[in-house]
Amino acid sequence: MSKPAIAPLVLVDRRVEPDVARTIACTGYEAGRAASSPDTVGEALRVASEWGPKLPRPGGGRTAALWSVLATVGSVDLTVARVVEPHVDALAILAEAGLDSAVAPAGATWGVYAAEGPGLRLTAAQMGSRWILDGPKPWCSLADRVTHALVTAWVDDTTRGLFAVDLRASGVRPSAREGEWVSHGLPDVTSGGLELTRVRAVPVGGPGWYLERPGLAWGGVGVAAVWFGAAVALARRVGRHVADRPADQVAQLHIGQLDLAISTARQAVAAAAAVADRTADRTPGRAADAAPGDEAPGLVAARARSIVAESVETVLRVADHAMGPGPLATEAEHAQRVSDLRLYVRQHHAERDVANLGQQVLAAAGSGSPW
C-alpha cells in the first residue's frame, strides 16, 4: 500500500518540519493496514522512541511546530497519535524536571498515568534514599506495551507526587478493575489497571510538583491538537462528499458550520501556543504570573482545550448529517476515525471542564465582570 497523501497542518509556525510530520504519521499506517500481522502500536512505539527526542518541547519557543506535528499525525491515524502523544508528553515532563537523561534509558517508551479512581489509592513511601510504590493505578493505557511510565502516587493524605517507573519490574502486574477493553474506538490502545507491589520508583519533581509545574497546562493542549487534526480529516471527507455533487443550500450550511468549527479550534490552539512560549517559566492558573497583556496560562489552556473539544463534537455531528450512513457503513477508514475520535475526545470532561473554566474566569476577574 502506498503512503497516504498528507498535508501537514500548520498553526502559526511556518517552520514546522513537514517531513517529520509525514514520517511519524505514515509510520504504522502502512504497517497497520498492509502487513499480514498488523502491529500499528508496535510501529508507533518505534517511531515515538526515534522521533520523540527530536521534537520541540512545549514552551520552548516552537510550541506551534510541536502541536502542528501532533495535529498532522492525528489527521492520519489516531492510533499512532494516541501512542506518540503521551510519549512526547512524558519526555517534556522529564525535561522540565531536569531528569531526561537520568531516568530515560535509550529506546524507552513512555506512558503518563495520572488518573484516579474511587476507592483506588497508589501510595508512595520513602525508605531511606528509595521511594517505593504500593497499590492500584487505574486507566493505564498501553501499560502492556510501553517500557516506562510517569505515575502519580499519594505521598500523604492530601498530596500526590510524580514518579518514573520501569513497568517491567517484578512488582508490576495488570489488574482487571476497569473490566475488559472492548472499545470499538482505538481498539488497539488498550487501557486497564495496574497493581504495584513494593515497586522502586524515581521521584520526578517534589511532592505536588506535577500539578503545579508550568508545563501542566500545555500537555492538555497537546492532546487537543491531536483531536483537532482528526477533526480536520473528517471535515476534508465532508468536503470531498460535497464536491462530488451540486452544492445546495444545506450543503453550503454544512461547509459553513465546519469552517467555523475548524477555524475557531485552529485559532485557539495557535493562541495557546503563543502564550506557552511567552510564559514558559510561569505557573498555570495564576493570573499574577501572566506576562503583561496575557491571561494566566492555565486559563488559556483550559479555554483552548474546551474550544477544540466542542469543535470536534460539532464536526462529528455535521459529518453525520452531511453524508448520512453511507461512509459510516462502507468506508472502514472513515468509520474507524469516527469511533476513535468519539472515544479520544472523551478525555475532555465535558461540562465539568467547562465549569472549571468558568471558575478560573471568575477568579481572574475578581469582583469585576469577566468581559
Side-chain angles (χ1 to χ4, degrees):
M1 179 181 290
S2 60
K3 291 183 179 181
I6 296 174
L9 301 180
V10 179
L11 298 172
V12 295
D13 188 341
R14 294 290 168 180
R15 298 171 297 165
V16 61
E17 301 91 336
D19 291 339
V20 172
R22 289 190 180 101
T23 298
I24 298 174
C26 286
T27 300
Y29 182 91
E30 290 183 320
R33 290 162 174 76
S36 58
S37 298
D39 185 10
T40 305
V41 169
E43 285 296 294
L45 287 170
R46 182 188 63 78
V47 85
S49 178
E50 177 184 353
W51 286 98
K54 303 175 185 178
L55 293 176
R57 299 285 177 251
R62 301 202 57 208
T63 304
L66 168 65
W67 291 347
S68 294
V69 171
L70 292 177
T72 301
V73 179
S75 75
V76 176
D77 193 315
L78 279 173
T79 293
V80 176
R82 182 66 182 83
V83 174
V84 169
E85 185 281 324
H87 177 83
V88 171
D89 185 39
L91 296 184
I93 294 169
L94 290 169
E96 190 175 1
L99 292 175
D100 48 329
S101 61
V103 298
T109 51
W110 289 86
V112 180
Y113 306 145
E116 301 291 335
L120 305 177
R121 194 174 181 87
L122 178 65
T123 62
Q126 190 169 12
M127 299 182 180
S129 61
R130 300 178 179 181
W131 281 88
I132 304 297
L133 304 188
D134 273 293
K137 192 65 178 176
W139 297 111
C140 302
S141 296
L142 294 174
D144 60 334
R145 300 297 303 270
V146 297
T147 63
H148 292 72
L150 297 180
V151 182
T152 55
W154 294 92
V155 298
D156 57 35
D157 290 341
T158 60
T159 307
R160 283 181 289 170
L162 184 69
F163 299 87
V165 176
D166 186 338
L167 296 179
R168 300 163 299 182
S170 60
V172 179
R173 66 180 188 276
S175 168
R177 292 174 187 268
E178 283 79 41
E180 184 182 359
W181 185 255
V182 297
S183 176
H184 292 280
L186 299 170
D188 296 327
V189 187
T190 55
S191 185
L194 288 176
E195 194 75 32
L196 283 72
T197 305
R198 297 189 60 81
V199 175
R200 292 182 60 178
V202 177
V204 179
W209 175 83
Y210 175 71
L211 296 176
E212 298 168 356
R213 63 192 177 88
L216 177 69
W218 312 126
V221 185
V223 175
V226 177
W227 302 340
F228 165 72
V232 171
L234 288 179
R236 288 171 175 168
R237 179 62 189 90
V238 176
R240 294 195 298 273
H241 176 85
V242 170
D244 289 339
R245 64 206 68 212
D248 59 15
Q249 193 172 28
V250 174
Q252 293 167 354
L253 168 67
H254 289 147
I255 295 300
Q257 290 174 322
L258 292 174
D259 180 71
L260 288 173
I262 294 298
S263 61
T264 301
R266 186 191 305 272
Q267 291 166 12
V269 176
V275 174
D277 289 335
R278 288 198 298 268
T279 62
D281 60 346
R282 294 178 172 89
T283 303
R286 290 176 55 189
D289 285 334
D294 277 332
E295 294 174 294
L299 175 56
V300 173
R303 180 186 295 135
R305 188 173 162 101
S306 290
I307 287 172
V308 173
E310 291 195 10
S311 295
V312 164
E313 294 188 345
T314 295
V315 171
L316 285 165
R317 174 180 56 80
V318 172
D320 283 352
H321 290 201
M323 297 190 294
L328 288 171
T330 65
E331 296 179 15
E333 186 170 342
H334 174 75
Q336 191 62 59
R337 178 176 286 118
V338 169
S339 294
D340 291 347
L341 185 55
R342 282 194 171 129
L343 177 64
Y344 203 166
V345 79
R346 291 279 55 84
Q347 286 189 2
H348 183 70
H349 299 135
E351 289 81 4
R352 292 186 182 278
D353 277 354
V354 178
N356 176 266
L357 171 63
Q359 181 183 34
Q360 293 186 57
V361 170
L362 291 173
S367 59
S369 169
W371 307 286

